[in-house]
Amino acid sequence: MSRLVVVSNRIPTGATPSGGLVVALHDALSQSGGCWIGTSNETGEKPGALEQIAGQPYTRMAFQLTEEEMVGYYLGFANSVLWPLCHRRVDLVRLSLPDFATYQAVNRRVARLVANTITPEDVIWIHDYHFIPLARALRDLGVTNRIGFFLHIPFPVLSDLAILPEPAAFAAWLAHYDLIGLQTRGDVARCLEMFRADPRAEFLTDGSIKFQERVTAVRSFPIGIDVEGFQADAERTGSNLFGSDNPERFVIGVDRLDYTKGLPNRFEAFGRYLELRPEGSRPCLIQIAPPTRQEVQAYQEITEELQGITGRINGRFAELDWTPIRFINRSVDRSRLARLYRCAQACLVTSLADGMNLVAKEFVAAQDPEDPGVLILSRFAGAAEDMVDALQVNPYDREDMAAAIDLAFRMPLEERQRRHVNCMDVVRRTDSALWSKNFLAVLRSIPVQVPLDVGSLHSSGGIVVGHRAHLGRRSEWKGKAVRPPLR
Ligand code: ADQ
């Protein structure tokens, strides 16, 4: 089997991987060998150092971003342009041409690093919006390996792309991948709409897209969690999670503190439910939301807004021995989180836009099938496409969400069990190991595309699509376009 080279913004540190995506990629890399390349946690000038992980057949390589790159590439173009753009918040886009230049420059730098690490047979799998132009930069260096891309966040709406400094570049960047993986069928539809509107693109009979001289396939691969690992964590008994402050009944929310997660809408809806609740009941909303990207203004604003709403609602409803909203701005370790999900009567996922939302799947996996809690799920989360037996809500509609909380607390056992069985079926079908296996199987099945000026195997015009083996051995490669990358 060909080696795998993964590029993602963050790479795990330490020997024991945890979290669905990390476990899935770790397993895939362990099976095929290869390298995992990503940004180091520290800024500095180190271009990248390979680290062999004890007992593993693959290496990791962390490269540092300079302070300037951190600001222009990561906080700037990636998180203040692409993130809001993909989440339909163009009002929050902060455009800056120097940031756009830095984003592309970092991608070119990472491309050189990757090119120096791979062998011609390696399969390359690039993750997320930080690296959209990476395939293009690799092709410019003559890399002809199969390159796949997975976008973890929603695919942007065509009309919103006009906000980019060079709108036409977005489709051209993506067209340099052999396979574009997206979370949902809705994302695929938006991606195809973009290509359909582009005069450079042509649709082939098998549904793939010919864009100038390359062919690219677009498919959905809904991501999931490490189901068994998560269930084992949830079933583990441990110390009492709440000490003497056991809530009577509670709904749980777990999110990074991000404006896309609809947290103000959620808090307001819970406040509305408190107005409507049966007399004498003392429900809680336990919200775990560690801050992220605090250097970006939009993230500072959401933190302040939530503190304000929490203070107002608690001020109005709290009693000496009851705090309705417990707002915890910290991370919780995975096994405690899993147990917390299991104790909750309901989970609130209120995303205004979300690629998938793994919290929804974690909550379902953590439940006791004999007495499961209820998932209340925004119809704007990718997870809603398949989890049709969750209580789906419109996060913009406070009354709808308050009614869903009420229904979740009152739902008869048989209905909770029926919904849980169906949601659990989706969670199992999208297990993270299956997700990476499916993606890589499709990517590996795609014929390698080699530019025409490579050697003697030519047809008229365009590219030769065929297996690399047809071109003979590595030493026979000719032409600037396919310089065999250095190891
Ligand atoms: P995120 O936006 O980070 O991911 P999500 O899919 O919900 O959103 O994943 C969050 C992960 O972080 C979950 O595993 C959750 O348990 C964990 N987490 C969140 N808050 C935590 C806390 N306080 N303590 C401990 N753990 C916490 C992006 C996209 C999603 C997509 C994923 C994966 O935005 O749409 O589902 O990538 O592709």
Side-chain angles (χ1 to χ4, degrees):
M1 192 198 290
S2 48
R3 286 189 346 155
L4 174 64
V5 174
V6 172
V7 184
S8 62
N9 176 45
R10 289 266 180 259
I11 51 176
T13 51
T16 325
S18 69
L21 170 67
V22 170
V23 170
L25 294 176
H26 167 84
D27 289 349
L29 279 158
S30 300
Q31 277 161 25
S32 57
C35 185
W36 193 341
I37 300 173
T39 328
S40 153
N41 289 332
E42 287 156 23
T43 50
E45 301 285 341
K46 281 198 201 127
L50 274 178
E51 175 205 1
Q52 187 68 48
I53 311 137
Q56 301 296 346
Y58 70 92
T59 50
R60 284 182 203 146
M61 185 193 281
F63 61 89
Q64 291 187 334
L65 294 172
T66 64
E67 288 287 347
E68 198 190 342
E69 287 172 340
M70 184 70 180
V71 172
Y73 151 80
Y74 179 76
L75 296 171
F77 198 74
N79 281 309
S80 299
V81 177
L82 292 176
W83 178 272
L85 165 72
C86 291
H87 289 91
R88 287 160 236 155
R89 289 299 305 268
V90 283
D91 57 311
L92 295 177
V93 165
R94 296 285 170 268
L95 272 185
S96 140
L97 287 181
D99 288 358
F100 182 50
T102 309
Y103 176 76
Q104 293 177 90
V106 168
N107 272 276
R108 284 194 296 270
R109 180 156 82 80
V110 176
R112 289 194 293 276
L113 237 148
V114 174
N116 287 335
T117 309
I118 56 175
T119 65
E121 289 74 27
D122 289 349
V123 166
I124 305 171
W125 190 4
I126 293 165
H127 289 260
D128 235 357
Y129 59 102
H130 314 85
F131 297 116
I132 301 174
L134 193 49
R136 164 72 209 268
L138 283 163
R139 304 292 183 211
D140 284 349
L141 294 174
V143 171
T144 55
N145 300 49
R146 291 186 186 93
I147 312 180
F149 177 70
F150 188 79
L151 184 66
H152 291 257
I153 63 177
F155 197 88
V157 175
L158 173 63
S159 54
D160 287 349
L161 285 169
I163 206 163
L164 289 175
E166 291 172 27
F170 199 81
W173 287 339
L174 285 168
H176 284 83
Y177 290 95
D178 297 289
L179 175 61
I180 301 167
L182 303 169
Q183 298 273 25
T184 65
R185 297 183 292 282
D187 290 309
V188 170
R190 280 191 294 279
C191 181
L192 296 183
E193 190 190 6
M194 175 194 71
F195 281 120
R196 222 166 261 132
D198 196 313
R200 297 166 295 180
E202 186 188 324
F203 278 76
L204 302 182
T205 46
D206 66 354
S208 52
I209 294 135
K210 187 166 177 214
F211 190 95
Q212 295 173 327
E213 297 311 330
R214 291 198 53 81
V215 177
T216 193
V218 184
R219 292 267 301 265
S220 70
F221 299 88
I223 199 169
I225 60 166
D226 166 22
V227 180
E228 277 182 20
F230 211 82
Q231 281 179 319
D233 279 340
E235 283 162 14
R236 203 163 287 148
T237 49
S239 56
N240 180 357
L241 289 166
F242 299 104
S244 59
D245 205 6
N246 231 336
E248 181 186 288
R249 51 170 52 189
F250 73 97
V251 350
I252 180 122
V254 177
D255 313 74
R256 283 181 307 96
L257 226 169
D258 196 295
Y259 54 79
T260 62
K261 304 290 182 184
L263 292 164
N265 311 47
R266 181 183 311 179
F267 284 22
E268 295 290 5
F270 189 72
R272 176 67 181 141
Y273 170 70
L274 291 178
E275 289 173 351
L276 305 172
R277 76 189 192 282
E279 207 176 323
S281 72
R282 292 172 153 206
C284 286
L285 166 62
I286 298 185
Q287 177 64 52
I288 308 198
T292 49
R293 305 173 196 163
Q294 284 298 291
E295 301 85 345
V296 177
Q297 194 190 342
Y299 287 79
Q300 295 160 9
E301 287 169 4
I302 184 86
T303 310
E304 283 165 25
E305 185 183 357
L306 284 171
Q307 283 161 350
I309 301 175
T310 307
R312 175 164 48 77
I313 293 176
N314 280 343
R316 178 173 167 201
F317 293 100
E319 290 168 18
L320 285 177
D321 53 355
W322 172 48
T323 309
I325 299 184
R326 300 190 194 176
F327 183 29
I328 299 157
N329 287 167
R330 268 188 312 279
S331 254
V332 172
D333 74 65
R334 297 195 71 73
S335 64
R336 289 189 80 197
L337 197 61
R339 288 194 290 126
L340 205 51
Y341 284 139
R342 197 174 172 94
C343 298
Q345 279 69 45
C347 175
L348 263 174
V349 174
T350 54
S351 314
L352 307 177
D354 214 334
M356 179 55 58
N357 194 286
L358 294 180
V359 168
K361 295 190 175 181
E362 289 170 353
F363 175 78
V364 169
Q367 296 310 299
D368 173 359
E370 299 299 316
D371 185 18
V374 178
L375 173 64
I376 301 173
L377 178 60
S378 160
R379 59 174 76 140
F380 298 108
E385 195 170 86
D386 288 329
M387 295 177 95
V388 290
D389 279 293
L391 271 187
Q392 294 207 359
V393 289
N394 175 0
Y396 294 98
D397 183 344
R398 215 167 54 136
E399 298 296 330
D400 184 35
M401 284 199 288
I405 297 169
D406 182 50
L407 180 57
F409 280 145
R410 290 188 297 104
M411 192 179 282
L413 178 64
E414 305 81 67
E415 185 178 350
R416 281 189 280 129
Q417 286 175 332
R418 180 185 60 75
R419 287 176 182 270
H420 177 257
V421 165
N422 294 344
C423 287
M424 195 58 211
D425 184 46
V426 175
V427 171
R428 281 212 185 83
R429 276 192 279 120
T430 57
D431 180 277
S432 57
L434 287 173
W435 167 78
S436 64
K437 200 171 139 218
N438 290 342
F439 183 93
L440 287 169
V442 175
L443 180 58
R444 286 196 163 104
S445 72
I446 292 175
V448 169
Q449 303 176 50
V450 183
L452 256 184
D453 57 351
V454 177
S456 53
L457 269 179
H458 295 149
S459 63
S460 60
I463 49 166
V464 175
V465 178
H467 290 280
R468 167 79 46 65
H470 295 164
L471 285 174
R473 300 202 333 234
R474 205 169 139 191
S475 56
E476 290 167 0
W477 288 19
K478 294 182 203 155
K480 63 176 171 35
V482 285
R483 175 181 63 82
L486 303 170
R487 281 212 72 166

